[in-house]
Amino acid sequence: MKGNTLEGPNERKTARPLSRRQLMQSGAALLGTAAAAGALPAVAFAESKHSTPFSAAKPSIVASDEAAIVETAGGKVRGYIRDGIYTYKGIPYGDDTGRAARFLPPKKAKPWTGLRSSMQYGQVCVQVKRMGWANDEEAWMFSWDDGVPGEDCLRVNLWTPAVNDHEKRPVMVWLHGGGYVAGSGQELRSYDGEQLSRRGDVVVVSLNHRLGVLGHLDLSHYGQQYASSGNVGMLDIVLALEWVRDNIANFGGDPGNVTIFGQSGGGGKVNTLMAMPAAKGLFHRAIVQSGSILRAGTPEKSARVAAAVLEELNLSPSQLDQLHSMPPEKLIEAGNAALRKINPPGPFSWKNVADRLGWGPVVDGKDLPRHPFDPDAPPISAHVPLMVGTVLNEFMTAINHPEYESMGEDEVHKRVAESYGDKAGHLIEVFRAAHPKAKPFDILSRIMAEPVRGSAVTEAGLKAAQGAAPAYLYWFAWQTPVLDGRPRAFHCSELSFCFDNTDRCENMTGGGEEPRALAAKVSEAWLHFARSGNPNHPGLPHWPAFAAADCPTMIFDKQCIMENNPDKAERQAVEDAS
């Protein structure tokens, strides 16, 4: 699990936070990845007989009161320039969400006078404490940047090749993972937008917003002022997109060509925005990465969760004012306790992930009138092209567990049966027939990841059925060599490739030419899609738009191939067993 929560001494004694992987497996919270570290330090200059003297060399970073100044609707901001890319961090797009503003729709940031220095990331939403630091291999790979928690967290970060030049570059707005409970725009090293901006001549934006109980506690039954409380975390993102619309031109971007893209929970946020009336027209293309959450939460479930939180806090409906004055850590503690009671332990199924999620968007009939992709694709975004896909192994890897590599057939059958009962034997037979040389754990990994892939296939089919805009389907299969290859194509593994950050994320990729070459192909696909709505480019085989009969899938690996229905039998077997 990702996240960062400041716990007081009393809360720390009673809290029982789960690890990210436990949350994924239990379904109590969903998806995520981990966040981007801060900008790289200025590179050192090594002199050689061919180099200019150090004192005369052009600096890698330009940070000056006279440079990188841009006028926004709220006032002037000053960033810095690193190797030609203008970088801005922590710009407010919304006002403080603490205390009196809790559970209410966001408001625009208060304007400021003078020049606002915007060189460092702003606050991240207060959230559950990250337990992944206890897992040495996972912590080494992900190298999280948990940031500084606080409720004044509505901030955007931005990378652009130029400012104030009247150019209209494509804009790519990144929505971080972590389900709806954790993460930030800086959490993973891969999220840094400098290299993607440079490669594609695009403007890259990331952002923070409210999460968990602060973003999705549905108090609508307790007063009209809370009518939107179950969805304020998503309304934060809408406000950020409005900030992009109103300000991005001065940063060299085109407000008429905005792509939203997100992974894991961030992909779920993309899907949700596609069904939100308030977001219509604020984006023009969409990319969903390992996050095809087709349904949102129901009012019935969200009402039960809210009642359970109030019970944990020993508050009556007439005492809701106390929710605004208590420390946010206490709210998070109560939310965790309530979810443990409402979501009892049990097999996790991607099909019912919305029901298992403790926090997330709610179909409230107003801000979110319907489920994102159930029973069909949302009509209000029918004109928006979609790219969607997954990674091969998702959550079932041997990170932190070298013993999994010697897992036997009996253990595989036992674990598959925990999710699929008496269908386990048939499932294993189907996957074994398709992959006769795979070791037992690889069979287990493929079986457990298949529902995530299947949901992406379903989403692509629903989008294609509209006939108004194309959908493109991918499958990221590249296996990292680090830790003897045990992580495989793990959940989040494609991130450093789509951001062209494989060297920056060498603990995940191993660094070097092979991942760098694949990153060029993957990031160019993302960039071409952002520019035109079509990911095809000369470095890839022809990638046709999705059609249900053929299920064309671009497989990203050492050698990228386009294959029709590469896992038809396995996908059907999992669908039947579910």
Side-chain angles (χ1 to χ4, degrees):
M1 181 69 197
K2 331 184 294 195
N4 182 36
T5 298
L6 296 180
E7 295 180 319
N10 295 332
E11 286 82 4
R12 189 179 298 278
K13 292 178 182 178
T14 58
R16 294 186 299 166
L18 300 176
S19 73
R20 176 170 177 256
R21 293 185 178 278
Q22 289 171 321
L23 283 167
M24 291 300 100
Q25 293 163 357
S26 69
L30 174 70
L31 312 171
T33 71
L40 290 171
V43 296
F45 287 86
E47 288 191 32
S48 74
K49 62 182 180 181
H50 301 294
S51 67
T52 57
F54 181 82
S55 60
K58 183 179 179 181
S60 175
I61 286 181
V62 176
S64 166
D65 290 339
E66 306 300 324
I69 297 173
V70 176
E71 184 81 48
T72 75
K76 290 183 179 181
V77 297
R78 189 274 318 276
Y80 62 93
I81 309 167
R82 185 181 186 278
D83 289 340
I85 297 299
Y86 292 71
T87 302
Y88 303 82
K89 296 177 179 178
I91 301 175
Y93 70 86
D95 204 359
D96 194 326
T97 64
R99 302 293 176 169
R102 277 185 194 159
F103 319 117
L104 302 182
K107 296 180 179 179
K108 289 185 178 182
K110 291 184 176 68
W112 57 88
T113 59
L115 188 63
R116 184 184 184 101
S117 182
S118 302
M119 303 169 70
Q120 184 57 273
Y121 291 115
Q123 291 183 354
V124 305
C125 182
V126 187
Q127 55 195 260
V128 293
K129 183 180 179 181
R130 183 190 304 283
M131 299 304 292
W133 289 117
N135 302 319
D136 186 67
E137 290 184 351
E138 185 180 3
W140 175 79
M141 286 182 65
F142 283 84
S143 303
W144 300 289
D145 178 358
D146 288 330
V148 179
E151 291 184 85
D152 189 8
C153 63
L154 303 189
R155 306 299 178 94
V156 294
N157 315 301
L158 189 150
W159 296 262
T160 180
V163 299
N164 304 316
D165 65 349
H166 305 292
E167 292 294 323
K168 289 192 172 183
R169 297 173 179 85
V171 181
M172 301 182 71
V173 179
W174 173 249
L175 304 179
H176 68 77
Y180 300 94
V181 299
S184 72
Q186 71 190 69
E187 179 193 18
L188 287 182
R189 289 181 176 270
S190 53
Y191 293 174
D192 187 279
E194 178 186 318
Q195 182 61 16
L196 189 63
S197 176
R198 178 180 294 111
R199 170 178 281 278
D201 191 32
V202 299
V203 182
V204 179
V205 179
S206 67
L207 60 100
N208 296 340
H209 59 92
R210 282 176 284 184
L211 301 163
V213 67
L214 298 172
H216 298 286
L217 179 62
D218 184 6
L219 299 170
S220 58
H221 292 280
Y222 303 102
Q224 183 58 35
Q225 70 270 35
Y226 298 119
S228 295
S229 56
N231 287 311
V232 293
M234 290 303 308
L235 293 176
D236 292 346
I237 301 175
V238 172
L239 184 62
L241 291 173
E242 291 176 345
W243 184 93
V244 168
R245 177 196 63 197
D246 297 339
N247 294 281
I248 208 66
N250 286 353
F251 292 93
D254 181 2
N257 185 1
V258 176
T259 296
I260 54 173
F261 67 130
Q263 184 265 356
S264 195
K269 296 165 194 174
V270 170
N271 277 350
T272 302
L273 289 167
M274 293 179 76
M276 293 182 69
K280 184 177 181 180
L282 296 176
F283 61 92
H284 312 92
R285 327 204 190 289
I287 305 175
V288 177
Q289 305 172 213
S290 295
S292 291
I293 307 171
L294 308 184
R295 291 176 56 85
T298 64
E300 296 78 16
K301 176 66 176 292
S302 66
R304 287 179 57 212
V305 172
V309 170
L310 294 182
E311 183 178 349
E312 289 294 327
L313 293 169
N314 196 28
L315 294 179
S316 69
S318 63
Q319 297 174 303
L320 292 193
D321 60 311
Q322 294 186 34
L323 294 176
H324 294 269
S325 59
M326 66 179 59
E329 296 80 13
K330 187 173 182 180
L331 279 167
I332 293 170
E333 174 77 11
N336 287 344
L339 292 178
R340 285 194 291 269
K341 294 178 180 179
I342 290 180
N343 289 336
F348 173 72
S349 168
W350 191 265
K351 290 286 186 182
N352 65 2
V353 66
D355 292 331
R356 297 290 295 180
L357 280 173
W359 308 110
V362 180
V363 179
D364 61 0
K366 180 175 68 76
D367 297 311
L368 183 59
R370 51 159 288 160
H371 292 288
F373 275 82
D374 186 52
D376 54 8
I380 65 169
S381 57
H383 61 290
V384 175
L386 172 71
M387 186 163 71
V388 59
T390 60
V391 302
L392 182 62
N393 301 99
E394 294 291 354
F395 304 109
M396 184 56 68
T397 75
I399 301 173
N400 305 321
H401 292 285
E403 72 276 9
Y404 286 179
E405 298 299 335
S406 58
M407 183 180 292
E409 297 286 358
D410 289 345
E411 180 65 18
V412 170
H413 190 282
K414 174 184 175 182
R415 291 182 180 236
V416 176
E418 289 174 355
S419 295
Y420 295 101
D422 60 6
K423 305 291 181 63
H426 175 65
L427 273 177
I428 294 171
E429 288 178 6
V430 171
F431 278 77
R432 173 60 66 193
H435 309 283
K437 296 182 180 180
K439 64 170 62 177
F441 180 69
D442 281 314
I443 296 297
L444 173 64
S445 179
R446 284 177 173 270
I447 290 173
M448 302 312 289
E450 188 64 47
V452 187
R453 153 88 173 156
S455 188
V457 173
T458 297
E459 179 173 350
L462 293 171
K463 180 64 181 176
Q466 285 184 316
Y472 296 89
L473 180 68
Y474 74 86
W475 205 4
F476 185 87
W478 185 81
Q479 310 280 295
T480 179
V482 303
L483 297 173
D484 303 315
R486 287 190 282 108
R488 295 169 169 78
F490 58 95
H491 191 66
C492 305
S493 58
E494 89 286 13
L495 292 176
S496 59
F497 292 82
C498 67
F499 276 92
D500 197 20
N501 276 333
T502 54
D503 287 332
R504 181 181 177 84
C505 302
E506 60 186 1
N507 288 13
M508 287 186 172
T509 68
E513 183 54 37
E514 181 179 301
R516 197 179 301 133
L518 180 56
K521 296 177 181 180
V522 173
S523 60
E524 284 292 341
W526 265 240
L527 289 164
H528 276 69
F529 183 80
R531 196 170 294 278
S532 68
N534 185 330
N536 279 282
H537 65 83
L540 291 176
H542 176 64
W543 186 352
F546 187 86
D550 298 325
C551 189
T553 304
M554 179 59 68
I555 300 175
F556 291 110
D557 206 338
K558 293 179 182 179
Q559 181 177 357
C560 298
I561 61 173
M562 205 298 297
E563 187 173 347
N564 288 335
N565 258 321
D567 58 340
K568 182 177 181 179
E570 302 101 291
R571 204 169 66 249
Q572 187 61 56
V574 169
E575 180 68 24
D576 293 343
S578 299

